[in-house]
Amino acid sequence: MGEHDEDQEHGVEPARPPLTEARAREMTAGLREAIDGVRRSVAVLAARVRDAHAARVWVPLGHSSWESYCRAEFGIGRAQAYRLLDVARALAAIHGAVAAGTETSRTRDTSAAPAAALDYGLSQRALIAVSSRADVVAELITHRLATLAHSGLQALDTATVRAVVRQAVRDVRTAPPPPPADPPADRAVAALRAAVDDLAASTHAIGELMLEVAPAYLSDTEAADVLALLCDQIGEPLDHGLAARRYAMSGDRRALHGTVL
């Protein structure tokens, strides 16, 4: 039996010709288009979720709540049903901030404005991560757009608005929530609070890494299946890993109570 036949018998894939740079760029362009399509679909989904929830669409269909409606109509659980609302609310806050921070007279490419208002290139994970701090994101976007508009140094075209929105989301998302104001007068208590703040900040960073492995669209149960081996390998209890993941998504320290804190 020849080497070629032997390779086929053992299931070895025949050698492929080297990938050319032109083909690699073509494949990369296709991937970029697909990723952009996913992000646009997140924006469309968020807008439709917002409208459906505002209209209380579950009532005429005989469901008792948004949660039961989502379970019956789409087969998704409670956590995902409310994460959809988080995405919708975060995106609505961003839309409002863009409207407040821009001036029509200074905005170029007005024909693209409706599309720009819908698609900022934000993933579902990014929107969930800032949903609890949507007001902070909105304030940052409004301020930065207004500053640009009044400076006259840069016209607020679609690309500029999109870049400002994405950077604001990134800035808020990567910064852990601020510690409580008014530090205690007692030095020992102040030192303990500082230690807790440091622990929360490092836990937030761990949560971001957990989200790389178990994305935000997974429920806690699904995430536990994915993270069990990772947590075991790094010597972190699974419940701590899940709590850190929830904290990175929500920015709410209550997610850490009973586990890390």
Side-chain angles (χ1 to χ4, degrees):
M1 183 181 295
E3 289 184 7
H4 178 72
D5 293 336
E6 186 176 351
D7 283 347
Q8 287 187 333
E9 180 181 345
H10 290 285
V12 178
E13 188 173 324
R16 295 182 177 181
L19 190 66
T20 65
E21 180 181 348
R23 177 57 181 154
R25 291 191 180 281
E26 180 183 349
M27 293 175 70
T28 300
L31 282 171
R32 184 176 294 111
E33 182 180 355
I35 290 170
D36 287 345
V38 170
R39 287 172 174 163
R40 282 193 295 272
S41 70
V42 167
V44 172
L45 175 62
R48 292 181 180 174
V49 165
R50 181 192 62 221
D51 293 344
H53 189 266
R56 297 176 62 82
V57 69
W58 60 90
V59 174
L61 295 179
H63 301 293
S64 60
S65 65
W66 170 255
E67 176 185 340
S68 62
Y69 164 73
C70 287
R71 182 182 296 109
E73 298 291 338
F74 312 117
I76 62 177
R78 180 181 186 277
Q80 180 65 2
Y82 286 100
R83 275 198 288 269
L84 288 174
L85 288 180
D86 287 340
V87 169
R89 288 165 180 157
L91 202 56
I94 290 170
H95 288 338
V98 169
T102 56
E103 293 181 4
T104 305
S105 61
R106 289 187 179 272
T107 304
R108 295 187 312 216
D109 196 15
T110 54
S111 63
L118 186 62
D119 174 28
Y120 301 110
L122 298 169
S123 67
Q124 185 183 41
R125 176 185 164 190
L127 289 165
I128 290 172
V130 300
S131 61
S132 66
R133 290 173 279 172
D135 55 337
V136 178
V137 175
E139 184 178 355
L140 197 57
I141 291 169
T142 300
H143 173 71
R144 290 178 178 177
L145 290 177
T147 299
L148 283 175
H150 287 97
S151 70
L153 298 177
Q154 186 173 2
L156 297 183
D157 58 9
T158 297
T160 300
V161 171
R162 192 172 188 263
V164 168
V165 168
R166 287 170 61 85
Q167 186 59 52
V169 169
R170 188 179 300 114
D171 289 345
V172 172
R173 183 181 174 190
T174 55
D182 303 323
D186 187 294
R187 292 178 61 184
V189 175
L192 285 171
R193 177 176 288 182
V196 169
D197 291 341
D198 288 343
L199 178 59
S202 62
T203 302
H204 188 277
I206 291 172
E208 283 287 328
L209 294 175
M210 292 291 173
L211 283 169
E212 293 288 342
V213 180
Y217 59 79
L218 296 179
S219 67
D220 261 13
T221 302
E222 293 166 329
D225 292 337
V226 176
L227 294 175
L229 179 59
L230 172 63
C231 288
D232 182 61
Q233 289 176 335
I234 65 176
E236 184 77 10
L238 178 59
D239 60 339
H240 287 201
L242 291 171
R245 177 177 174 271
R246 289 192 294 271
Y247 180 43
M249 286 194 293
S250 68
D252 189 340
R253 285 195 186 183
R254 288 174 295 182
L256 305 178
H257 290 179
T259 54
V260 180
L261 295 178

